[in-house]
Amino acid sequence: MRKVMLWLTGWGMSDSSWDAVRSQFPSCEHITPDFSDITAPMQFFEKVEGEARSLSAQELIVVGWSMGGMLGMRLAAQYPVSGLVLIGTTARFTCEQPDLRKGWHPVVLQRMKRQLSVARERVMDAFVEQMLTPGEREQIGLHVGMDSQKWSTAALIAGLTYLEEEDCRPFLSSLTAPTLVIHGTEDAICSLAAGEELASRLVGANFVRIPDCGHAPHVFVPEAVGDSLKRMVEQLAEEGN
């Protein structure tokens, strides 16, 4: 059966963020939904679900980053997937408590939505800066794969509403596909503690820590992320024989 990899990017991020990892799987078919023209939060999952429905006869591996990981978990709860990879992801992005280890306060996202209409560039620059470690900020081409210009302002606002409202916790126990959780130890968007908690609630999940890495390990250490994915793909192939 042909292997298909469905790549679900994070909020406001370019599809090219996957290039360095995606290229390591030349024998697979790759599908990357375009979220840049979305106008309402429910359309994110509708687009992902539409892709999955068209691939029902294929062996599907879902790779999601941050918001894309939340979409991937919801998809895996409703559709048969062969493997699930969650990068810098949490089951619930917001938290009413002022504790960034557990999530962002909804007020922060609401403020970002208001500011996007009048100071979009400043909002996005601040978000990208928070995604990265000081060392990553110094690297040449640090915005490669992080160019949000393609996303409409409406899509960015819809994405923040999705992050504010989505809660994957109720169906975590029902996710039975082999799962790989990858998290940077210095992630300031979705904390390492949130990633560890997510992995602990997914049956049989493998947790991979990427040391000294922020919210985008697949951009800055694609070899390490690719190696972990390859091990999963190889294991799935062995189990399928």
Side-chain angles (χ1 to χ4, degrees):
M1 184 179 292
R2 180 181 55 174
K3 283 187 174 61
V4 179
M5 301 186 78
L6 181 63
W7 303 85
L8 307 176
T9 195
W11 176 76
M13 298 295 107
S14 168
D15 297 344
S16 65
S17 64
W18 295 118
D19 286 352
V21 175
R22 191 165 42 198
S23 63
Q24 298 178 49
F25 299 88
S27 64
C28 297
E29 177 182 348
H30 301 286
I31 296 177
T32 311
D34 180 7
F35 298 141
S36 64
D37 60 349
I38 279 175
T39 57
M42 73 285 295
Q43 293 174 1
F44 287 98
F45 185 69
E46 288 173 356
K47 183 162 286 193
V48 172
E49 184 182 33
E51 296 286 4
R53 191 183 300 118
S54 68
L55 299 168
S56 58
Q58 309 300 327
E59 184 175 347
L60 180 62
I61 298 172
V62 179
V63 187
W65 171 30
S66 195
M67 184 185 79
M70 301 179 82
L71 290 164
M73 285 187 280
R74 183 164 289 279
L75 181 69
Q78 300 184 30
Y79 285 83
V81 303
S82 299
L84 180 62
V85 181
L86 307 172
I87 302 173
T89 300
T90 179
R92 177 67 168 153
F93 190 78
T94 56
C95 176
E96 295 290 345
Q97 303 171 14
D99 186 351
L100 287 177
R101 292 173 300 174
K102 298 181 182 296
W104 289 32
H105 197 285
V107 168
V108 177
L109 299 186
Q110 292 161 12
R111 182 170 63 245
M112 288 174 67
K113 284 191 283 187
R114 292 194 300 270
Q115 293 175 341
L116 275 169
S117 298
V118 294
R120 169 183 166 134
E121 186 174 349
R122 185 175 66 196
V123 172
M124 299 309 298
D125 284 349
F127 181 75
V128 170
E129 182 175 2
Q130 190 169 1
M131 287 174 55
L132 310 180
T133 67
E136 289 168 350
R137 293 178 199 134
E138 294 175 0
Q139 289 186 31
I140 296 174
L142 61 80
H143 287 287
V144 172
M146 299 179 182
D147 183 3
S148 64
Q149 292 305 310
K150 186 178 178 184
W151 283 56
S152 69
T153 299
L156 292 171
I157 292 172
L160 291 175
T161 301
Y162 175 85
L163 288 170
E164 184 180 350
E165 297 175 349
E166 179 64 286
D167 188 352
C168 299
R169 294 173 297 182
F171 52 79
L172 291 181
S173 61
S174 68
L175 299 181
T176 58
T179 303
L180 176 64
V181 179
I182 300 174
H183 222 97
T185 60
E186 307 306 313
D187 192 333
I189 302 296
C190 296
S191 71
L192 178 63
E196 291 173 332
E197 181 180 1
L198 173 62
S200 71
R201 296 184 62 179
L202 293 167
V203 178
N206 291 321
F207 187 66
V208 177
R209 294 174 181 82
I210 306 293
D212 304 316
C213 189
H215 190 55
H218 57 296
V219 174
F220 290 93
V221 284
E223 297 83 6
V225 173
D227 287 345
S228 295
L229 266 68
K230 287 172 187 175
R231 286 192 290 271
M232 166 181 266
V233 171
E234 290 168 358
Q235 183 177 352
L236 292 174
E238 291 174 0
E239 294 173 353
N241 291 334

